[in-house]
Amino acid sequence: MTTETWHPVSRLDVLPRDRAVPALVDDHQLAVVRLADDRVFAVDHRDPFSGAHVIARGIVGSATVDGVEVPTLTSPMFKQVFDLRTGRCLVDDSKRLATWDVRLRDGMIEVRPRASGAAEDQPEVAS
């Protein structure tokens, strides 16, 4: 899978707000999250602590990191909290979720693997 190809995963209007849903892109499982303000994030569905594909069943929320409120997703397995912008685990810096670039085109959410070194906190904002 290249980092240049965008993959459609769902229409924005069918995703529930403040929930994560699983998606499958070229045999890779993702958790796609739509926030209440219609920002959309995509991260790996595989929990790096348990190895189980459960992240889309996690709890969407927020946390204050370095004085900034960031969107989070809490794993349903062992309750680790991940920053949706970066995939970084907020309680254990040794683990993270891979993050995906997200864009909205004509109401369709599209994702692609994030290139290494790319800005990690620039999600697509739906309008």
Side-chain angles (χ1 to χ4, degrees), residues 50-126:
S50 69
H53 289 85
V54 296
I55 291 297
R57 294 182 178 186
I59 299 170
V60 176
S62 64
T64 302
V65 177
D66 298 328
V68 177
E69 185 173 332
V70 300
T72 61
L73 185 59
T74 302
S75 171
M77 291 297 285
F78 302 122
K79 311 305 182 209
Q80 286 87 5
V81 179
F82 297 91
D83 182 335
L84 282 170
R85 302 169 311 154
T86 63
R88 184 175 68 93
C89 179
L90 299 182
V91 295
D92 183 343
D93 280 340
S94 70
K95 303 286 186 184
R96 67 183 320 131
L97 299 170
T99 56
W100 292 60
D101 291 328
V102 177
R103 73 177 181 186
L104 186 66
R105 294 188 73 181
D106 299 325
M108 178 63 71
I109 297 168
E110 297 179 337
V111 299
R112 69 179 181 189
R114 184 165 288 162
S116 62
E120 294 181 329
D121 59 351
Q122 303 296 322
E124 176 69 27
V125 177

Side-chain angles (χ1 to χ4, degrees), residues 19-23 29-33 43-47 52-60 73-76 97:
R19 302 276 308 268
V21 298
Q29 296 184 40
L30 307 177
V32 179
V33 180
V43 296
D44 273 356
H45 186 39
R46 184 180 176 276
D47 181 333
H53 289 85
V54 296
I55 291 297
R57 294 182 178 186
I59 299 170
V60 176
L73 185 59
T74 302
S75 171
L97 299 170

